[in-house]
Amino acid sequence: MSYNLFDHYRVMEKQHIVLSFKGEISNKTLVSLAEMLKKIFSRADNRQDVTKKIFAIFVELAQNIYLYSAKKVTVDNKGVGTGIIIIERNEGFYRVKSGNLIMNPAIGPLLEKINHINQLDKIGLKKFYNKQLKTPREPGKTGGGVGLIVIARKSGHPIEVKVNPIDEKQTFIELSTKITEPK
Amino acid sequence: MENLTFEPTENSLRIDFDATKGMLEMEGTSYPEDAPEFFNPLEAWLKDYISKIGGSVTLNLKIGYLNSSSIKCLLDFVQKLEEYHAGGGEVDINWYYEEDDEDIQEMGEDLAEDMNLPVKLIIY
């Protein structure tokens, strides 16, 4: 199958992709992407509160890839996760999507956590957030275990999940959520 | 005892801990790849300060953005101050936030609510 850049361009145009990256999310890459995001959103007539929400959700999703992607490369002697992350603009809302490979046994617990988060209302989310913040970090774990709750709280919408099984070992998992632009 | 200073980067805080005055400042944006790695030396310094000097502590926080794992680390740090305060140490926290920055304001309010510590919320 030959890859047609024009097709890629047209899809991105059609979907109004404002930012897109595929590759390893190293520390430096994340900083560059975050700075780019700020620049893109400072150009247009954007509300600062919306930009802040998109920024926070983008950082959490990107760090999820960095920490939890099953496909890692070595950067500065560290294992860095690879994946894809995009922001698309729709009528009245933005959507941030991230995708990466995940080992099959990790899917169940992740889906369970997301389902739980999606069932909570605003107050429930805040309670769960406070509880998780006070739960001691598992030894050797960098993530705080609160990233997904932060995403749900900032977004105010459910976290959507799509799983694309690859083989008996791995699955491509896609997480996304939307950020409404107030009128 | 030495002071502790870190220059800020795009994704890590400016740190200025003054042992003589007991004045601890954290300012900026924090989403480092490894938040515990960044915060561990801060906790170690505080532990040292409490055991060696044992003076008053004023923590000034001017936060622009914290990712989830930095929030957790900051909370752990403040919990150490809470323990010090409970044991008789003099602790004050000033939480600065920009007007209209509801997220940072709410974070400060949560902190004030959750901690048995004097937390002052200040608009700048």
Side-chain angles (χ1 to χ4, degrees), chain A residues 27 31 34 52 55-56 59-60 63 66 78 126 129 132-135 137 142 144 146-147 150 153-154, chain B residues 10-11 31-37 65 67-69 71-73 75-76 79 101 103 106-107 110 114:
Chain A
N27 189 39
V31 168
K52 278 183 183 173
F55 183 87
V59 169
E60 297 299 334
Q63 288 187 320
Y66 163 76
K78 279 180 196 151
K126 188 171 178 178
Y129 171 77
Q132 288 298 105
L133 275 180
K134 283 173 191 152
T135 309
R137 212 180 275 277
T142 309
V146 282
V150 166
R153 289 189 75 197
K154 297 273 181 198
Chain B
E10 290 99 333
N11 67 341
Y31 58 99
E33 66 181 313
D34 191 337
E37 191 181 78
Y65 166 70
N67 72 335
S68 60
S69 115
I71 295 170
K72 198 172 171 82
C73 287
L75 211 66
D76 288 345
Q79 264 164 3
D101 195 340
D103 285 355
E106 197 188 343
M107 226 184 260
D110 285 353
D114 285 357

Side-chain angles (χ1 to χ4, degrees), chain A residues 164-181:
Chain A
N164 306 272
I166 293 174
D167 53 30
E168 71 280 2
K169 282 190 187 141
Q170 293 185 332
T171 293
F172 181 82
I173 189 157
E174 180 188 319
L175 303 181
S176 83
T177 194
K178 63 180 187 179
I179 302 100
T180 315
E181 280 184 293

Side-chain angles (χ1 to χ4, degrees), chain B:
Chain B
M1 184 177 167
E2 300 228 349
N3 295 337
L4 183 72
T5 50
F6 292 166
E7 292 296 322
T9 69
E10 290 99 333
N11 67 341
S12 67
L13 299 170
R14 177 179 73 83
I15 299 297
D16 195 351
F17 288 4
D18 186 321
T20 323
K21 295 181 192 149
M23 187 76 88
L24 281 52
E25 292 192 333
M26 298 187 190
E27 182 178 5
T29 287
S30 179
Y31 58 99
E33 66 181 313
D34 191 337
E37 191 181 78
F38 182 85
F39 277 84
N40 282 343
L42 312 186
E43 278 197 26
W45 187 95
L46 179 65
K47 205 176 157 195
D48 237 25
Y49 174 84
I50 289 170
S51 68
K52 285 183 185 155
I53 296 180
S56 68
V57 175
T58 305
L59 175 62
N60 291 322
L61 293 154
K62 269 191 187 174
I63 301 300
Y65 166 70
L66 297 174
N67 72 335
S68 60
S69 115
S70 298
I71 295 170
K72 198 172 171 82
C73 287
L74 178 65
L75 211 66
D76 288 345
F77 183 85
V78 174
Q79 264 164 3
K80 298 284 182 294
L81 286 175
E82 194 182 32
E83 285 163 23
Y84 181 49
H85 181 70
E90 199 184 311
V91 179
D92 283 294
I93 297 181
N94 296 314
W95 181 275
Y96 292 86
Y97 65 95
E98 282 183 73
E99 205 172 358
D100 303 331
D101 195 340
E102 284 173 21
D103 285 355
I104 299 296
Q105 181 182 351
E106 197 188 343
M107 226 184 260
E109 285 166 359
D110 285 353
L111 197 74
E113 205 176 290
D114 285 357
M115 298 285 165
N116 274 315
L117 282 170
V119 180
K120 222 187 273 173
L121 299 171
I122 302 162
I123 300 176
Y124 73 101

